[in-house]
Amino acid sequence: MELVFKTLLFDQNDRIATVTINRPDKLNALNAQAKSELRELFTQLKTDDAISVVILTGAGEKAFVAGTDIKELTVLNSETGKDFSAKGQEVFDLIENLGKPVIAAVNGYALGGGCELALACHIRIASENAKFGQPEVNLGIIPGYGGTQRLARLIGRGRAMEMILSGNQIDAQEALRIGLVNKVVPQAELLATATSMAQLIASKGQVAIRMALKAVNMTQETTLSDGQKLEASLFGVCCESEDFKEGTSAFLEKRKPAFSQRSLDESSLRPSDKNK
Ligand code: COA
C-alpha cells in the first residue's frame, strides 16, 4: 500500500502493518488531522487482504500518545463537545472492530486519549518507561474516546474509578499488575516483541482469528448466554473454512499447517452471521 500521511508513518512487512503516530515534538498528541488520518488508514487496513495484524505505536522514546491535542479542546461547548467525543469514539471503534488484531506497542506516555487508544487495541505491550493515566479531570472534563467504558471493563470498576477520578498516572509495572497491559519489556525490545507477537498471530488461520476477535469483543456488550450463542455460530463459521480442514488434517498427519493466510471474505458469511 502506497500511503503518505502528515501525522502518521506507515510500514508494511510481510503481513504486518506498523502504524506510528508521528508528532514527537507534541508527544504524539492527537490533533484533528491525526484522528482523520487514523480513520482513513484504518478504513483501508480493514479491507486490505495483504495485512493480517497491525502494530500501533508512537514516534520517539517519550510518548505513545500524550492525549488529545489540548489546544483543540478549548473552543468546545456542549454541542460541539458531544460531537467531538462521538467522532473520536468512532475512530477508536473502527480500530476495535477492525476484524484483525491491533497490538498497541506503548513506548512512553499513554495519557487521556492515548490511554483510550491503547484500550481500543486488542493487545497492549508496554516499554518499561510507559506511563498510563486518564488525567482529563485535571482539565475539567472526563475521558471522551471510550475510556470510561473500556477501562472499567478491562481492569474493573473500582480501579478504573480511581484512575479516572484521581487523574493519577501509573507506571508500566502497575499497569501489568492490574491487567491494563499484557507484557512489559525494555524499550529497545518493544517493537521486536510486538512484531514477534504479530508474526505468531499472522501464522494462524485468519478465519479463526477473525471469529475469535468478534466473539471476545462481544463480551463487552452481551450476556453470557447470548455470547455463547454467538460463539457457537462463529465456531460453525470456522468449521466451513479451508483453514479448519487444513489445521485438523495437519495435526492428524503430524505436519505444520499451511494456512491460506486469507481472512474470510465478508461475502462468504451466511446472511445470519454477517452482523456478528
Ligand atoms: N496536547 C497538546 N500538546 C501537548 C500535549 C497534549 N495532550 N501533551 C504534550 N503536549 C506538548 C506540550 O505542550 C509541549 O509542546 P511545546 O514544546 O510546544 O510547549 C510538548 O508537547 C512537550 O510536552 P512537555 O509538557 O513540555 O513535556 P514534559 O516532559 O514536561 O511533560 C507530560 C510530559 C505528558 C506530563 C505533559 O506534556 C502533559 O501533562 N501533557 C498533557 C497530558 C494530558 O493531560 N492529556 C490528556 C488530554 S485530554
Side-chain angles (χ1 to χ4, degrees), residues 191-243:
L191 280 183
T193 307
T195 302
S196 78
M197 173 85 74
Q199 283 166 340
L200 178 68
I201 297 170
S203 73
K204 313 293 179 190
Q206 293 306 301
V207 174
I209 294 295
R210 183 165 166 201
M211 296 305 121
L213 281 171
K214 272 180 191 259
V216 179
N217 266 352
M218 194 53 79
T219 59
Q220 303 214 95
E221 47 195 277
T222 192
T223 61
L224 178 62
S225 103
D226 283 349
Q228 293 209 93
K229 278 186 202 135
L230 174 71
E231 180 184 82
S233 168
L234 297 177
F235 186 92
V237 173
C238 291
C239 292
E240 277 183 22
S241 68
E242 288 300 318
D243 286 349

Side-chain angles (χ1 to χ4, degrees), residues 25-27 29 62 66-71 73 109 111-112 135-136 139 141 169:
D25 54 325
K26 298 291 177 197
L27 305 187
K62 200 168 163 185
T68 208
D69 193 314
I70 296 171
K71 262 195 197 153
L73 289 176
Y109 288 112
L111 301 177
E136 287 86 350
L139 304 168
I141 49 176
Q169 294 177 21

